[in-house]
Amino acid sequence: AIAFLTVVTIVVGVSQYFTFNRQLSVMQDQLKIMEADQRPWISLEMQIDGPLTHNVIGWQLLIKYNLKNIGKSPADDVDFLAVIIPADPPRPNNDGSPKAWAAPTAAIDTAVDNACRKTGPLARAGQGQIMFPNEQLGKWCANDANTITGDGFVATFIIIGCVTYKFLDDPVMHYTVRVFECGKKDYGLINIKGETILPDALAFVITHSH
């Protein structure tokens, strides 16, 4: 009888253990849903606001961006950065061949990492601003800091914008990324050594967002 009661006690204990774990899991899921509902969410829109140019600093493109906190809570340490990389390896001459999306995924991933982490807002953590549920307009000059060198031509450039932010009193940083392809509307190639392309002659098309 004692053995039977012991077995029953163990079975009941195991049952209660799994019941508790299920309830705990449900509570954790509910907390995540509540957090997602109440958290800040920063949206990002970008458009060109000047010519694509090349000077002593390197390739540059003036960007006008619009941030909006579409969440229900203030966002802390909000910061923005945009970078520019060539979409394909330089070609030896302007042979008139059609442009093509050729930027390897790894190159884009590295540029996103640089924009959002290594040299971007996360590297300047603490210098951003608090953003309540509203809009913020700003301008930023995306440049390559003379990393795009040599002779030849490229079809397009990739412009990557990243806004980073976090919850109040939370060390975890979140980010919103937009990736655009920028090139000539007439599909002409761009001289790596430098030229100026006016905004009306540029196509600016979003390709990735996350």
Side-chain angles (χ1 to χ4, degrees):
I2 295 176
F4 174 76
L5 290 175
T6 301
V7 171
V8 171
T9 300
I10 292 174
V11 170
V12 171
V14 170
S15 176
Q16 290 176 337
Y17 171 79
F18 284 110
T19 299
F20 172 79
N21 277 352
R22 285 195 297 270
Q23 292 174 339
L24 181 61
S25 178
V26 170
M27 290 175 61
Q28 289 173 336
D29 290 340
Q30 290 175 338
L31 285 174
K32 289 179 181 178
I33 293 172
M34 291 173 60
E35 181 183 83
D37 180 64
Q38 295 298 318
R39 62 165 282 185
W41 293 89
I42 304 297
S43 66
L44 169 61
E45 297 178 358
M46 296 168 54
Q47 62 186 50
I48 55 176
D49 198 47
L52 178 65
T53 61
H54 186 275
N55 54 34
V56 293
I57 298 176
W59 281 97
Q60 292 187 326
L61 180 66
L62 187 63
I63 297 294
K64 181 164 63 177
Y65 64 90
N66 181 2
L67 307 182
K68 185 176 181 181
N69 184 351
I70 58 177
K72 297 180 181 178
S73 301
D76 191 20
D77 210 4
V78 181
D79 206 350
F80 174 81
L81 181 74
V83 298
I84 180 172
I85 63 172
D88 54 353
R91 308 177 187 188
N93 54 62
N94 192 352
D95 58 9
S97 57
K99 70 176 185 177
W101 175 265
T105 301
I108 295 177
D109 289 344
T110 298
V112 168
D113 187 63
N114 285 335
C116 294
R117 298 181 184 88
K118 294 180 181 177
T119 59
L122 290 190
R124 303 193 305 273
Q127 300 182 35
Q129 66 181 59
I130 294 177
M131 187 175 180
F132 294 91
N134 57 16
E135 294 187 1
Q136 170 190 325
L137 297 174
K139 291 188 178 183
W140 185 274
C141 189
N143 67 78
D144 72 302
N146 269 324
T147 60
I148 305 170
T149 59
D151 297 329
F153 298 82
V154 294
T156 56
F157 286 103
I158 304 301
I159 312 298
I160 298 168
C162 179
V163 55
T164 52
Y165 61 100
K166 60 184 180 180
F167 307 168
L168 292 173
D169 301 320
D170 189 341
V172 178
M173 194 68 75
H174 304 270
Y175 57 89
T176 301
V177 177
R178 299 290 183 265
V179 180
F180 290 82
E181 183 180 6
C182 182
K184 294 180 178 179
K185 287 182 178 178
D186 63 4
Y187 299 101
L189 298 182
I190 302 169
N191 190 342
I192 277 290
K193 296 185 74 172
E195 59 178 291
T196 297
I197 308 169
L198 298 178
D200 289 344
L202 289 171
F204 193 66
V205 181
I206 190 166
T207 60
H208 297 77
S209 63
H210 58 276

